[in-house]
Amino acid sequence: MNFLRSILDAVLPPHDDARIASRLTLEEIGALARPMTVRGTFAVFPYQDRRIRAMVRAIKYYGETGVLEPLGAVAAEHLAALLDEESLEKRKTLMCPIPSSPARLRARGYNQAERIARMIHAHLPSGMGIEYVPNLLSREDRETQVHARRSRADNIRGAFYVTNYGSQTSIIKNARVILVDDVLKTGATIKDATRALKAAGAKSVIPFAIAH
């Protein structure tokens, strides 16, 4: 496998981020975890670490999928520990990713948060009874090149909404929702997605990011 990858790398040199990410092992990823809560969101890894930054960027911009398996395993372990502390009781618990905008989805062909969330869910103990609902939320197209924190918050406000509102509110009502994103930046994205879920009847929302 490594020999084949070396040949492919020589013929089609990958971006540095993809190269770094593809070589990260389960043990290395696990050792890089520095879980903490930032602005109300539980995040597993520090984005300033070069390897974590490369991994996140490779998944997001270059469609790297090989690292998703070990990343999902490590992230699921931390999420399970968090949920154990939160106590799931008997309440219905859902998991959904932050959705991409239609324009972004057309350009990339995938939603990196959905790929990450799906792999995390696959590694969670089945006994936890968490239902994965990938299309729970949708997102309007908005201007993406907004840098100031205040402007970003204003730009994203109201962008998220529940997909097929009439039929999915019954799923969301009184549920606890785990909201998965790749990177926590200003917190504006998580905040607005949380607003949409709570407006549809979610009892609580647990924001969970890979990096901060």
Side-chain angles (χ1 to χ4, degrees), residues 140-205:
E140 296 176 357
D141 283 322
R142 296 286 177 92
E143 172 61 44
T144 57
Q145 298 302 314
V146 179
H147 301 292
R149 177 172 294 186
R150 183 178 180 83
S151 297
R152 182 178 176 84
D154 291 342
N155 180 65
I156 203 71
R157 188 175 296 117
F160 294 94
Y161 60 94
V162 172
T163 312
N164 300 322
Y165 189 89
S167 61
Q168 296 219 93
T169 49
S170 60
I171 300 174
I172 298 171
K173 188 175 181 181
N174 293 323
R176 181 174 299 183
V177 183
I178 303 163
L179 185 59
V180 179
D181 202 2
D182 56 350
V183 181
L184 176 69
K185 295 178 181 176
T186 66
T189 297
I190 289 287
K191 182 178 180 180
D192 194 68
T194 296
R195 170 203 57 77
L197 290 167
K198 287 189 173 181
K203 182 70 174 180
S204 63
V205 176

Side-chain angles (χ1 to χ4, degrees), residues 86-161:
E86 291 275 344
S87 177
L88 292 180
E89 303 169 343
K90 296 296 182 180
R91 186 178 301 158
K92 176 171 60 177
T93 303
L94 312 175
M95 174 187 282
C96 74
I98 288 287
S100 291
S101 67
R104 186 68 72 192
L105 196 57
R106 286 192 299 271
R108 288 187 185 146
Y110 58 87
N111 171 13
Q112 74 281 354
E114 193 282 323
R115 287 181 168 181
I116 292 168
R118 179 161 27 97
M119 193 58 72
I120 293 173
H121 184 261
H123 283 279
L124 287 172
S126 59
M128 297 186 78
I130 297 171
E131 181 181 356
Y132 182 51
V133 190
N135 299 313
L136 197 62
L137 289 174
S138 293
R139 180 178 188 166
E140 296 176 357
D141 283 322
R142 296 286 177 92
E143 172 61 44
T144 57
Q145 298 302 314
V146 179
H147 301 292
R149 177 172 294 186
R150 183 178 180 83
S151 297
R152 182 178 176 84
D154 291 342
N155 180 65
I156 203 71
R157 188 175 296 117
F160 294 94
Y161 60 94

